[in-house]
Amino acid sequence: MTNAEEQAYLGHELGHCLYGGFYSRGSSFDVVERHEVRADRWYIKRAIPRKTLFQLLKQGYDAWEIAEQLNTTEEYVRRAYYYYKENL
């Protein structure tokens, strides 16, 4: 696991802890999915701020370059982009 992958993983799990999004094996799929999305959003808002992301995109950086600068994964940079585009 790379440092960026570890940060993304820990950030996501921290999101579960800090907003209280836990579920059990018996939870329905929609409950599990809802908590996973909330944990992702928590991490995105803190690790990839909207203003920073769009400034870097305007400067011509690719997703992998932004991920390197913010010490996260390219996948989370893409998720952040779509999250912010849908929720402006």
Side-chain angles (χ1 to χ4, degrees):
M1 187 177 290
T2 67
N3 189 5
E5 290 170 334
E6 185 175 6
Q7 178 174 317
Y9 177 80
L10 291 174
H12 171 89
E13 296 306 322
L14 190 58
H16 281 293
C17 295
L18 293 178
Y19 86 84
F22 300 104
Y23 52 88
S24 66
R25 286 185 186 164
S27 298
S28 63
F29 178 75
D30 61 328
V31 170
V32 172
E33 186 65 22
R34 192 172 330 129
H35 287 299
E36 291 300 322
V37 168
R38 286 180 184 164
D40 278 345
R41 288 179 182 168
W42 186 93
Y43 172 68
I44 285 169
K45 288 177 183 178
R46 282 147 187 87
I48 312 167
R50 184 184 61 80
K51 185 177 179 181
T52 303
L53 175 62
F54 285 102
Q55 282 177 346
L56 291 169
L57 288 170
K58 276 187 175 183
Q59 293 172 13
Y61 288 99
D62 288 327
W64 68 270
E65 294 170 309
I66 295 169
E68 278 189 6
Q69 285 192 21
L70 300 177
N71 196 29
T72 190
T73 63
E74 188 176 343
E75 174 64 26
Y76 268 105
V77 170
R78 294 182 192 284
R79 287 182 191 187
Y81 173 79
Y82 289 114
Y83 171 71
Y84 291 134
K85 287 294 276 187
E86 293 173 2
N87 296 287
L88 284 177

